[in-house]
Amino acid sequence: MKTIDELLAEGVAGKRVFVRADLNVPLDGTTITDDGRIRAVLPTIAKLAEAGARVVVASHLGRPKGAPDPAFSLAPAAARLGELLGADVAFATDTVGESARATVAGLADGQVAVIENLRFNPGETSKDDAERGAFADRLAELADSYVGDGFGAVHRKHASVFDLPARLPHYAGYLIATEVGVLKKLTTDVQRPYAVVLGGAKVSDKLGVIDHLLERADRILIGGGMAYTFLKAQGHEVGSSLLQEDQIPAVQEYLRRAEEKGVEFVLPVDVVVAPAFPDLKTKAPAHPTTVAADAMPEGQMGLDNGPETNKLYASKLADAATVFWNGPMGVFEHPDFADGTRAVAQALVDSPAFSVVGGGDSAAAVRILGFDENAFGHISTGGGASLEYLEGKTLPGLAALED
């Protein structure tokens, strides 16, 4: 695939460059609580602007239902982008309508504009090729070339990700080039031992990647809500913990295959429990207790790894040469249940391994818990995209950038 450096070499002064970014930041009302995704695309936008391009930035935010919804406006992200660039950023209040056309037409060389949330138009996410294509046609009218740099969306077959690059000269931005380079280190010529840490709520979200990693990883550490389905599959009671009973046969098969292939599956040996899910707004004390993972009492909910599990997981990561981590170990947003996630992050900081934090909640946890992002090998901006890449799937947004 061609890169942004090739586009810059061709010359962009006075040209309109459409940058498909991922500005899908978490919001508390109109306040951005984590601007990591905006900062990740900053090098691409800044470089284009410095070279005199008229930069048109587009993204989705949240899951609006194909119509404008103020709760999902990109206005806060546009404002934050301007602060980070140290320059005014114009904002169009629609995607391909009068405001977008006028805003783009009003750009001078080196200026940046953000158009409104792409998902306010039903054509962005439509499963109908013609409807998606029609929206892509209108987006293409806003630009002379296309730069794909929204890694968090490349696993989606959406108009701005998949269809639009076919209509314009297309290039990969710095972020996508970096992300793909890192993920190749996890799939080809992997330095061993190769350890994978998987957490999060649901086993079903990780089935594909577990299946793929059984052929590649040396050890797989399981935490988060999904751990309780694994514990149940081993015959343990899990109280009122999150459980996907329909996934137990699949989990039992994975455990069997792992033993057959010599892949070490590491599960919690103790867990932190409470009578109910904690209040994440007030952070009120949740009255946690720690119990053995094979002796969870009825009516108690597992919400984090326990201290012995934290020591065990740290020991399993200490000698690794490569680590991929996706998904928190517990309800890290509450102080009573953050230790498991903190322990994994600290183990990666302490380890000499090349460590990749696979986006989503894991990336958010690293920032919320106060870790220096530079202490990790790479923090991905795309949790879902990273997982699908590791599953060996073809990602539409990457395929569209290939020539």
Side-chain angles (χ1 to χ4, degrees), residues 24 60-67 69 72 117 119-120 125 155-156 158:
N24 185 27
H60 69 287
L61 192 151
R63 297 180 181 273
K65 302 184 184 301
D69 183 339
F72 297 105
N117 191 336
R119 291 185 181 175
F120 285 0
T125 59
H155 58 314
R156 306 295 187 190
H158 290 170

Side-chain angles (χ1 to χ4, degrees), residues 157-176:
K157 192 176 180 181
H158 290 170
S160 66
V161 175
F162 179 75
D163 302 273
L164 182 56
R167 288 156 169 79
L168 294 169
H170 46 270
Y171 308 81
Y174 292 126
L175 175 60
I176 277 187

Side-chain angles (χ1 to χ4, degrees), residues 275-353:
F277 196 84
D279 188 324
L280 299 184
K281 287 192 175 181
T282 66
K283 304 290 197 296
H287 309 294
T289 54
T290 300
V291 300
D294 60 358
M296 291 183 63
E298 188 175 339
Q300 293 285 313
M301 179 182 295
L303 295 165
D304 196 16
N305 288 347
E308 293 306 313
T309 300
N310 294 340
K311 292 177 190 175
L312 172 65
Y313 284 20
S315 72
K316 296 295 182 181
L317 297 173
D319 68 340
T322 305
V323 181
F324 174 73
W325 171 31
N326 180 279
M329 298 294 98
V331 187
F332 71 91
E333 301 92 339
H334 193 285
D336 288 344
F337 308 106
D339 285 351
T341 302
R342 184 182 289 107
V344 167
Q346 188 62 54
L348 297 192
V349 170
D350 295 340
S351 169

Side-chain angles (χ1 to χ4, degrees), residues 39-165:
R39 288 185 286 110
V41 76
L42 207 61
T44 290
I45 295 171
K47 194 73 171 180
L48 288 167
E50 288 167 11
R54 303 177 182 192
V55 187
V56 182
V57 181
S59 176
H60 69 287
L61 192 151
R63 297 180 181 273
K65 302 184 184 301
D69 183 339
F72 297 105
S73 175
L74 277 174
R80 181 59 179 150
L81 176 61
E83 292 173 358
L84 292 169
L85 286 171
D88 290 337
V89 169
F91 181 67
T93 56
D94 57 28
T95 57
V96 291
E98 182 178 336
S99 178
R101 292 193 300 271
T103 300
V104 173
L107 289 176
D109 294 1
Q111 290 188 329
V112 178
V114 174
I115 63 175
E116 186 55 283
N117 191 336
L118 292 163
R119 291 185 181 175
F120 285 0
N121 190 303
E124 169 68 0
T125 59
S126 176
K127 296 191 183 329
D128 181 80
D129 291 348
E131 185 178 13
R132 270 198 339 273
F135 183 47
D137 286 339
R138 296 186 69 189
L139 289 172
E141 294 172 1
L142 300 175
D144 302 303
S145 57
Y146 175 96
V147 172
D149 216 27
F151 181 74
V154 293
H155 58 314
R156 306 295 187 190
K157 192 176 180 181
H158 290 170
S160 66
V161 175
F162 179 75
D163 302 273
L164 182 56

